[in-house]
Amino acid sequence: LAKMETASAAASAAAEERGEGGAKTADELKLEEATRLYRLSKIREAYQIVESMTPSSSKPEGKEHAMAAEIKAKYAELVRTRALLDDTSGWETVVDNYNGVSTFHRSEEDTPIHSLKVIGIIEAPVQHLLSLVIEADLIPTFINFIKIEVEQLRVMSVYHQLIYQKVPLPWPLSTRDIVVEAQGFDELEHHGDLVITGKSVSKYEDVKIPKVANGSTRLEVHLAGGRIRPITMNKVEVTVVANVDFQMYLPNAVINWLSKTLAYYAFVQFRAKAASTSGNGAHYERVKEKKEVYAQVMEPVIHFLAKKEKESQAAEKKSSTNEDSSVTKTSEANTNKGGGEPNNESKSPAVAQAESLEGVIENKQALHMSTT
């Protein structure tokens, strides 16, 4: 921020010397930087810059400042979504760690709203998993225990989409459809995860929202979210939660079916598809077509895991220096007795992985090859 203010002052002084006006103010430069970060899904950083602007500059007065208002609104959504993901009170366990998956249900008091939550570990390449989320129109290719229709009404960016879904449900439910605005945010540096927010929309700029078909009912998602927490390049913890109004009273038997069957099997099939390494079908082809895009998506993940491995290496090294000195002396005596020089300690898998990841980051072409 200080650099931007200095640059703004220098630009203004230079323009004044030339007798010119129109140099960008510090707040205009801040808004440009906030917009750039927001487009890269760095909502927290973008919000902090907007908050540092003078009050009059960040107000949505006309098109020029509409972006500041949007960034504030999206950050508020992120905060609410994280609160729902982290909330542990009042949940009824429906599936208790069966096959590595747990599902939960909670009725929201004095409302027709139901909350569903699924948590599980997915042992699969991070990139495969992210491609399943990003290429939303391909969801029907791996959710096959129930017929589902998906259409991307608008793709604002790789992180931001407007999606229509239609799902036929058994009696007493009828076919349900939904229009959701979904957006992903990079929270790796702050919380070690990627967070996806979602909510129902009835209108969106100039997008034509599909009408509710005969015999169908439109669901209302008050808030939905997902958390993707990379553990390694091939292991991820995933949490999905939704706060939904089904537009009718639902008996416990139906709620149990939704939690035990729909939520559970959808997660299991999602996990199986992510773990498929033999080409990964249509998703693999999309990744090849969009290798530049996926390189951009994967870069912060690789940076995060490389940093994590470096910290692990430093902790191990610190621990080793605190070992009993007598053990060290004994080791040295045994080495000298053997008549050879001490062997250099071999690199741990964690260190090797970190160095490998850093090499990918430094070499853009290698990053693209890794992504493909």
Side-chain angles (χ1 to χ4, degrees):
L1 296 178
K3 286 181 179 178
M4 283 190 285
E5 289 172 354
T6 302
S8 174
S12 297
E16 190 173 341
E17 286 182 6
R18 295 192 303 268
E20 299 173 357
K24 291 182 179 179
T25 66
D27 280 339
E28 287 173 333
L29 290 172
K30 286 180 181 180
L31 188 57
E32 283 186 1
E33 178 62 8
T35 302
R36 185 188 72 82
L37 290 168
Y38 175 56
R39 298 302 185 202
L40 291 174
S41 83
K42 303 277 189 179
I43 183 64
R44 190 174 297 271
E45 292 84 350
Y47 174 76
Q48 289 170 348
I49 291 178
V50 168
E51 282 293 282
S52 75
M53 295 167 61
T54 56
S56 60
S57 298
S58 61
K59 287 181 180 179
E61 299 171 351
K63 188 174 182 181
E64 181 182 359
H65 302 298
M67 181 55 67
E70 181 176 338
I71 289 171
K72 288 183 177 181
K74 294 300 182 180
Y75 180 74
E77 272 184 40
L78 171 67
V79 172
R80 290 196 301 271
T81 302
R82 185 172 287 286
L84 184 60
L85 287 164
D86 292 338
D87 187 6
T88 59
S89 61
W91 292 95
E92 174 191 353
T93 302
V94 180
V95 176
D96 189 6
N97 197 26
Y98 179 75
N99 196 21
V101 182
S102 298
T103 67
F104 308 86
H105 163 256
R106 182 175 70 187
S107 296
E108 304 301 334
E109 191 174 354
D110 299 327
T111 73
I113 298 170
H114 294 270
S115 294
L116 303 175
K117 181 185 283 189
V118 186
I119 303 174
I121 297 291
I122 297 180
E123 296 195 17
V126 178
Q127 182 181 275
H128 283 195
L129 188 149
L130 291 177
S131 72
L132 301 191
V133 177
I134 293 169
E135 309 300 336
D137 60 313
L138 296 179
I139 290 176
T141 65
F142 62 90
I143 301 294
N144 54 30
F145 72 96
I146 190 169
K147 186 178 180 181
I148 181 171
E149 298 177 21
V150 182
E151 180 183 355
Q152 291 169 303
L153 299 178
R154 173 170 290 182
V155 177
M156 286 71 84
S157 75
V158 66
Y159 311 104
H160 191 189
Q161 303 182 24
L162 189 66
I163 302 167
Y164 171 78
Q165 294 188 19
K166 184 177 179 182
V167 183
L169 297 176
W171 185 90
L173 297 172
S174 59
T175 297
R176 289 316 201 247
D177 70 3
I178 187 171
V179 179
V180 175
E181 181 187 5
Q183 193 163 3
F185 298 110
D186 176 1
E187 287 273 276
L188 289 167
E189 291 185 17
H190 306 282
H191 294 280
D193 56 26
L194 304 167
V195 174
I196 301 167
T197 65
K199 65 176 184 178
S200 289
V201 295
S202 57
K203 58 183 180 179
Y204 194 91
E205 295 178 1
D206 58 345
V207 177
K208 185 176 181 180
I209 303 296
K211 294 181 179 180
V212 181
N214 291 334
S216 181
T217 302
R218 181 148 295 172
L219 296 178
E220 184 175 354
V221 173
H222 291 266
L223 188 64
R227 173 163 52 209
I228 300 172
R229 180 173 288 157
I231 300 171
T232 69
M233 285 293 286
N234 295 292
K235 188 175 184 180
V236 183
E237 180 190 77
V238 176
T239 302
V240 181
V241 64
N243 201 244
V244 184
D245 183 353
F246 289 91
Q247 303 295 323
M248 70 175 292
Y249 165 75
L250 294 178
N252 287 335
V254 176
I255 289 297
N256 286 337
W257 179 86
L258 288 169
S259 300
K260 284 183 178 179
T261 305
L262 188 63
Y264 172 79
Y265 282 108
F267 188 93
V268 168
Q269 291 197 332
F270 178 91
R271 181 177 63 183
K273 184 64 176 178
S276 172
T277 56
S278 57
N280 213 24
H283 293 83
Y284 178 70
E285 296 303 320
R286 288 279 180 90
V287 172
K288 287 201 299 182
E289 291 171 8
K290 305 176 181 178
K291 61 181 182 179
E292 293 279 351
V293 170
Y294 277 92
Q296 173 187 320
V297 170
M298 284 298 296
E299 189 166 350
V301 176
I302 295 171
H303 270 294
F304 168 72
L305 289 174
K307 182 181 177 183
K308 184 178 175 183
E309 294 295 348
K310 270 191 171 182
E311 291 172 351
S312 175
Q313 175 196 12
E316 289 177 6
K317 186 176 181 180
K318 184 177 180 180
S319 176
S320 66
T321 59
N322 295 330
E323 290 181 354
D324 192 341
S325 60
S326 64
V327 175
T328 304
K329 290 179 180 179
T330 301
S331 176
E332 290 174 351
N334 290 336
T335 301
N336 293 333
K337 186 177 179 180
E341 295 183 358
N343 291 329
N344 292 328
E345 184 181 356
S346 60
K347 294 179 182 177
S348 69
V351 177
Q353 183 183 18
E355 291 180 353
S356 175
L357 294 177
E358 286 183 321
V360 171
I361 294 169
E362 292 169 359
N363 188 324
K364 194 73 172 179
Q365 183 179 4
L367 177 59
H368 293 168
M369 291 174 63
S370 172
T371 305
T372 303

